[in-house]
Amino acid sequence: MKLDLSLPAAETATGAVAQPVAPLSAKGADLIARTLVEIGVDTVFCYPGGANLEMLDALSRVSITLVRTEHEQGSVFGAQGYARATGKLGVCLATSGPGATNLVTGIADAASDSVPILAITGNVATHWLGKNAFQEVDIVAITKPVTKLARQVREARDIPAALREAATCALAGRPGPVLVDFPKDIQQARPDQPTDKRFTAPVPAGMSDETAQRIAALLAKSERPVIYAGGGVIASGTSDRLKTLAEALNCPVALTMMGLGAMPDDHPLLLGPLGMHGAYAANVAVNEADLVLALGVRFDDRVIGDPASFARHAKIVHIDVDAAEIGKNKPVTLGVHADLRDAFSGLLAHATRRDVPDWHAYLQNHRAAHPLRAPVAAVSAEDSDAGVLTGVDVIAALAALLPPEAVVTTGVGQHQMWAMQHLRLREPRTFLSSAGFGTMGFGLPAAIGAKVALPDVPVIDIDGDGSLNMSVNELSTCRRYGLGVKVLVINNQWLGMVRQWQDMIYSRNRVASSLADPNAPQGADDGRPYPDFVTIAAGYGVAGARVTRAEELPAALARMLADPSEPYLLDVLVAREDDVYPMIPAGKSYRDVVFGPGQSAGPIAAGAF
C-alpha cells in the first residue's frame, strides 16, 4: 500500500483552487530540491518559516513527500524514526533562529545513537549574518560538536556538492547527523555553472586474515566466551551474520538496547539485554567471561557501570567502525578498526565450535533463577490482584499480539525499560528508542517517521505520561496525514524513573516528579488521570480509550490494533509506584544488582564461575 500523504489543494483568498506553479529556472532552492531527489531522498519532515519558504516552494514541485509536523523537534525525530526503521537517510527542514535551534536536541540524540539524518536549515541573507538580524543564529557553530559535518553554503553554485558531501558523510562509517545551512539569498540566487562533484566515503582498512586468526585462537582457548553486540550490528545490516557466528562458535550473546532485534528474542544463545536494567544472566556473562568479543558497541556507562570492575578478568576484543571508540571507556586486549560487514567474513572463515557446557549451564541457572520476562498470564482476571495493572503486564500483553515485523518506538523513562525487557523482538530495526541521549518526547514523532517509511507495517509508540506530554501535539500530524500510529500510554501519574531514583537515593524526597492533578483533593482518585490524554486526542481528531482494570485490557488492545490505518491512543492506568527491576545502581557493578525492594543479588553474585 502506498501511503497517501497529499493534502487537499490549497484555496486562494478568492476561493479558487490554486494551480501548481510552473517550473522555474534553477534558483538555489531548485538546486536543493533537485539534488535531494538525485541522492534518493523521498521524504522531508519540515516546519515552515520565513527563511525556508524558498526551499519548501521548490520541494513542492519535485517527487518528495513533505510531512509537516507540529514542532521542529517533531521534524527531527520524524527524520530519525524514518532513518532508524529503514537505514536510509532521514531528512528534516527548519527555518532560521528558533526553528533551527529547535532541531538541536534531536541532532544531538542522533549523534549519540549513530542515526544518519540530514538537517537542512534556512538562514538570513548573507549580508545580515553576524548582525543579530531577526531570527538569525549561527546554527553551524551550535551544532558542530554534535554532528559529523556542519556547514553553511555561501555560494549557490556549491549547493549540489554540499548536499552530496553531507549525505555521503551521514551514511558512511559510523552513521550520524549532518547539517547544511542555506542563507536566503543563496536559495534565491541563480548560478550559471553549479558544481556537482561526487563523493566517496573513506573505508576502514578492514580486518586482516592474520587478525581474524588471532581472534579465532583466543576463542579456541576460552572457557567462558561471550559476544557483546550493539547498534553497530543493526547499522551495518549484519544481524544474520551475528546469529550465524554465535551458532558456529556455540557462544552466548548479550545485546545492548541499541542492538535489540539483532538476534531473535527466542534464540537459545541469546541471554537478553545487558546493563543497568538488563537481564541478570547477560550481566553475569560479560562480567565473568574470560573472553568478550565486543561487536559494534561503545562500552556505555549504563552498560559497564564501574569501568574498573567491568569484565576485569576477561580478554576483550573490540571491533568497531569508529576507531575513536576503541579503548575509550575500557582498555581492550585487541582493538580492530573495521566495518562489521568486512569483519564478520573473517570471523566466520575461522570460526570453530567451542563446547563449554559448564559455562552454558552456569548462565542458564542464573537465567532461570532471575528471569527477565514475566508471563503474560499475569494479566489474568482470576489473579487476586488482577484489578491493578503494572507496566510489565501491559507490555507483555501487547507483545503477545504483535507480529514480528511490527515497529515499536518508546519515550524515555520506566516504560522504556519495561519495553526493553518484555517485548519479543525478532527482527532488526523494530525497536526504536532514544538510548544514548535519553530524550523524553522521542516516541510519538519517531513513530510518525517510521510509519511514513513503512506504511504497511504496524507502528506502536509505547509512551509514558510524562514523555508523551512533551510531544502529544504530534497527534495532529497523525490525523492530518492519516497515519495509523498507535500510542499506548503507560500512565502512572509520575515522572516514574525520576520518582524511583528519588525514592532510592534522596530519601523519598519527590521534588517536582508528580504528574497528578495539583488541584485534586488530597487522596482523591476518581480514575481520571491528569492530563486527560483521551480528551486531548479527541481534540486532535484521534480516537482513544482509557483502561483502568486488568480485565479491560485484552479487548482494549484488540480495539487499538484493529484498524491499521487509524491513529489511536490507549491510555492505560497502571500501579502508581511500581519500579523497574533488576537495577544496577549507577557506577556500581553487577554484584550490586537489586532485584526488587530490599532484594540484592546476595549469594548468587558471590558465587562466581
Side-chain angles (χ1 to χ4, degrees), residues 185-383:
D185 57 326
I186 302 303
Q187 300 172 44
Q188 296 169 328
R190 300 174 187 268
D192 292 331
Q193 294 181 318
T195 57
D196 194 8
K197 61 182 178 180
R198 270 50 174 174
F199 291 86
T200 303
V203 178
M207 189 170 73
S208 67
D209 189 66
E210 179 184 359
T211 299
Q213 291 186 54
R214 183 179 171 189
I215 296 171
L218 291 171
L219 286 163
K221 295 176 183 177
S222 171
E223 298 294 331
R224 305 187 303 278
V226 66
I227 295 173
Y228 157 37
V233 175
I234 304 285
S236 60
T238 54
S239 298
D240 289 344
R241 298 189 201 182
L242 171 65
K243 177 175 173 285
T244 301
L245 179 66
E247 291 171 347
L249 297 172
N250 190 31
C251 185
V253 177
L255 297 173
T256 68
M257 187 162 75
M258 285 296 297
L260 291 177
M263 279 187 72
D265 181 76
D266 57 355
H267 196 286
L269 290 172
L270 180 62
L271 299 172
L274 78 165
M276 178 178 281
H277 294 292
Y280 184 60
N283 283 314
V284 167
V286 294
N287 278 285
E288 297 187 12
D290 62 5
L291 179 70
V292 175
L293 179 57
L295 304 174
V297 297
R298 57 188 182 88
F299 291 85
D300 177 72
D301 63 299
R302 288 298 174 96
V303 167
I304 70 174
D306 175 22
S309 62
F310 179 79
R312 59 182 175 179
H313 300 303
K315 291 182 172 64
I316 298 176
V317 177
H318 186 188
I319 305 175
D320 202 276
V321 74
D322 186 354
E325 290 296 342
I326 298 173
K328 183 178 77 174
N329 294 335
K330 179 72 180 179
V332 299
T333 306
L334 176 60
V336 183
H337 178 212
D339 190 305
L340 285 176
R341 285 166 285 206
D342 175 71
F344 269 115
S345 298
L347 293 171
L348 288 167
H350 297 285
T352 302
R353 182 181 177 89
R354 177 70 169 155
D355 289 320
V356 283
D358 292 344
W359 176 235
H360 285 285
Y362 177 72
L363 296 176
Q364 290 306 316
N365 286 341
H366 282 308
R367 191 175 188 178
H370 296 286
L372 190 59
R373 285 163 174 78
V376 178
V379 191
S380 169
E382 287 75 29
D383 192 288

Side-chain angles (χ1 to χ4, degrees), residues 273-583:
L274 78 165
M276 178 178 281
H277 294 292
Y280 184 60
N283 283 314
V284 167
V286 294
N287 278 285
E288 297 187 12
D290 62 5
L291 179 70
V292 175
L293 179 57
L295 304 174
V297 297
R298 57 188 182 88
F299 291 85
D300 177 72
D301 63 299
R302 288 298 174 96
V303 167
I304 70 174
D306 175 22
S309 62
F310 179 79
R312 59 182 175 179
H313 300 303
K315 291 182 172 64
I316 298 176
V317 177
H318 186 188
I319 305 175
D320 202 276
V321 74
D322 186 354
E325 290 296 342
I326 298 173
K328 183 178 77 174
N329 294 335
K330 179 72 180 179
V332 299
T333 306
L334 176 60
V336 183
H337 178 212
D339 190 305
L340 285 176
R341 285 166 285 206
D342 175 71
F344 269 115
S345 298
L347 293 171
L348 288 167
H350 297 285
T352 302
R353 182 181 177 89
R354 177 70 169 155
D355 289 320
V356 283
D358 292 344
W359 176 235
H360 285 285
Y362 177 72
L363 296 176
Q364 290 306 316
N365 286 341
H366 282 308
R367 191 175 188 178
H370 296 286
L372 190 59
R373 285 163 174 78
V376 178
V379 191
S380 169
E382 287 75 29
D383 192 288
S384 59
D385 295 322
V388 179
L389 284 161
T390 68
V392 171
D393 292 334
V394 179
I395 290 169
L398 174 69
L401 299 176
L402 294 181
E405 71 275 11
V407 173
V408 172
T409 69
T410 77
V412 169
Q414 288 180 315
H415 66 280
Q416 177 191 30
M417 296 298 100
W418 288 322
M420 175 193 77
Q421 294 172 339
H422 299 283
L423 287 173
R424 299 171 177 178
L425 299 164
R426 304 177 186 92
E427 296 184 8
R429 300 194 181 280
T430 57
F431 185 71
L432 316 182
S433 191
S434 174
F437 214 53
T439 308
M440 293 176 68
F442 172 91
L444 178 53
I448 288 170
K451 189 65 177 177
V452 169
L454 305 170
D456 295 326
V457 173
V459 177
I460 300 92
D461 167 34
I462 298 176
D463 228 322
D465 46 328
S467 197
L468 179 61
N469 226 9
M470 292 193 174
S471 56
V472 69
N473 55 331
E474 296 301 343
L475 287 173
S476 181
T477 307
C478 296
R479 169 68 174 180
R480 180 181 305 112
Y481 297 105
L483 298 168
V485 170
K486 314 300 181 181
V487 181
L488 177 63
V489 189
I490 309 297
N491 192 339
N492 59 13
Q493 295 286 278
W494 290 101
L495 297 175
M497 192 62 80
V498 173
R499 193 270 310 154
Q500 180 172 340
W501 281 52
Q502 287 173 330
D503 287 359
M504 296 179 69
I505 303 170
Y506 299 99
S507 303
R508 295 177 64 84
N509 186 19
R510 299 172 171 182
V511 181
S513 55
S514 174
L515 298 179
D517 185 350
N519 297 315
Q522 187 69 28
D525 184 6
D526 63 358
R528 290 185 62 82
Y530 174 86
D532 186 339
F533 286 114
V534 176
T535 299
I536 292 171
Y540 285 117
V542 172
R546 177 175 298 115
V547 169
T548 61
R549 304 281 297 175
E551 58 267 25
E552 302 166 353
L553 183 63
L557 288 173
R559 168 66 184 87
M560 179 183 77
L561 298 172
D563 184 350
S565 65
E566 174 192 43
Y568 194 89
L569 182 144
L570 183 62
D571 186 20
V572 184
L573 274 63
V574 299
R576 290 204 65 206
E577 300 192 10
D578 199 16
D579 289 339
V580 180
Y581 294 108
M583 178 178 180

